[in-house]
Amino acid sequence: ELKVEQNPLFLSMQEGKNYTIYCNYSTTSDRLYWYRQDPGKSLESLFVLLSNGAVKQEGRLMASLDTKARLSTLHITAAVHDLSATYFCAVAAANFGNEKLTFGTGTRLTIIP
Amino acid sequence: DTGVSQDPRHKITKRGQNVTFRCDPISEHNRLYWYRQTLGQGPEFLTYFQNEAQLEKSRLLSDRFSAERPKGSFSTLEIQRTEQGDSAMYLCASSLDRGLSNLGYTFGSGTRLTVV
C-alpha cells in the first residue's frame, strides 16, 4: 500500500525567510502533485510533476521530484503572508491504469509578519 | 466552463437519514473521482468513474455508500443511514487524461456534511 509522508506537519515562519516542505512516498510513482488548501476551501492545484528530475516554479514556490529517492520538495522563497495555507502532496502509484491519488497529511504553513 | 461544481455546499442531517450529493465535472473530462476529507487530514480516495463505468472503489466505501454517473456526465454520491463518523468534506475531482496534463486533477469546492 502506498504511503505518503510530509514533514513538517506544522511550520511557522517569518516573512522573507526560505523554507522547504518534504514529501516522501513508499512505492514507485509516475505522478506527483502539490495542492494548496485554505481553511474551509477546496484544493488548488499548484504543480504537476511527471518525471524524475522535474522542477517547476511559480512565483515564490518551486517544486522538484526525485523518483529514485521517492522524494519531492516544495521550496518557499522569501515567504509572504499570502502563502499561509495547508499544502498537500499527492502521489499516484505507477500501476498501469491507476487513478487513485494518495495524499500526505498536509503541512500547515503560517507566515508571521 | 466554470470548473467542477458540487451541490450542496453544506448539508446538516440527523443520524440515520439518507443524503445525496451531486458533482458536475468539467464538461470535457471523462474521469470523475470522489474523495473524503476529515478535519486535519488529507483527502482519502473513495471511488472513480471513467465515463459511466465505476472502475475502482475504496474499502472506505461501505455498503451504505453508493455512487453513480449514469450518463457519463454528472455524478451523485449517496450515503444511507448516516452516522456521525460520516461527517466530513466530500470532494469531487475530474480529469481528462489521468492527471497527466499540467492541470492534473481539478477539484470542486466540496460538500461539507455534518451529521448530528
Side-chain angles (χ1 to χ4, degrees):
Chain A
E1 180 183 343
L2 174 59
K3 295 189 185 301
V4 180
E5 292 185 350
Q6 282 182 242
N7 68 83
L9 297 183
F10 299 92
L11 177 57
S12 181
M13 53 191 293
Q14 287 186 315
E15 279 190 330
K17 299 291 187 182
N18 304 333
Y19 209 81
T20 301
I21 299 171
Y22 297 89
C23 174
N24 291 88
Y25 53 95
S26 61
T27 63
T28 304
S29 170
D30 58 356
R31 288 172 284 144
L32 189 140
Y33 305 83
W34 283 97
Y35 287 91
R36 167 183 172 144
Q37 187 175 41
D38 292 296
K41 305 293 185 182
S42 188
L43 299 166
E44 174 190 352
S45 179
L46 296 175
F47 299 109
V48 179
L49 302 170
L50 301 176
S51 60
N52 186 42
V55 177
K56 291 195 174 179
Q57 183 164 4
E58 181 71 33
R60 300 175 186 274
L61 301 178
M62 182 174 70
S64 65
L65 177 61
D66 181 342
T67 57
K68 294 180 181 178
R70 297 177 184 168
L71 170 68
S72 179
T73 60
L74 180 66
H75 187 73
I76 303 154
T77 302
V80 293
H81 180 69
D82 286 353
L83 292 178
S84 295
T86 299
Y87 293 85
F88 291 97
C89 64
V91 179
N95 303 321
F96 177 76
N98 178 61
E99 302 276 344
K100 166 187 168 183
L101 287 181
T102 300
F103 282 79
T105 49
T107 296
R108 184 176 297 180
L109 175 65
T110 304
I111 309 296
I112 304 168
Chain B
D1 188 61
T2 56
V4 179
S5 300
Q6 291 189 247
D7 183 69
R9 292 294 303 275
H10 303 274
K11 178 71 176 178
I12 300 174
T13 190
K14 291 184 178 179
R15 189 173 50 188
Q17 297 294 306
N18 299 344
V19 294
T20 300
F21 311 140
R22 176 179 170 126
C23 172
D24 287 87
I26 292 173
S27 57
E28 61 266 30
H29 286 185
N30 60 348
R31 289 167 161 84
L32 185 148
Y33 313 82
W34 286 98
Y35 287 80
R36 180 173 71 183
Q37 185 179 25
T38 53
L39 200 62
Q41 300 296 316
E44 296 173 293
F45 172 80
L46 292 178
T47 190
Y48 134 69
F49 292 84
Q50 183 169 332
N51 300 311
E52 66 275 10
Q54 188 174 18
L55 296 185
E56 189 173 351
K57 292 170 62 173
S58 163
R59 286 170 290 181
L60 292 175
L61 215 65
S62 75
D63 56 4
R64 296 185 297 107
F65 287 70
S66 63
E68 294 182 342
R69 194 183 183 198
K71 296 183 180 179
S73 56
F74 72 92
S75 175
T76 57
L77 177 68
E78 180 183 16
I79 309 174
Q80 296 182 326
R81 305 180 303 281
T82 52
E83 301 172 356
Q84 287 189 320
D86 298 331
S87 296
M89 174 80 90
Y90 290 84
L91 295 164
C92 178
S94 70
S95 78
L96 180 60
D97 52 4
R98 296 176 61 225
L100 293 175
S101 73
N102 285 334
L103 295 176
Y105 299 84
T106 303
F107 281 81
S109 298
T111 294
R112 182 169 296 282
L113 173 66
T114 303
V115 181
V116 297

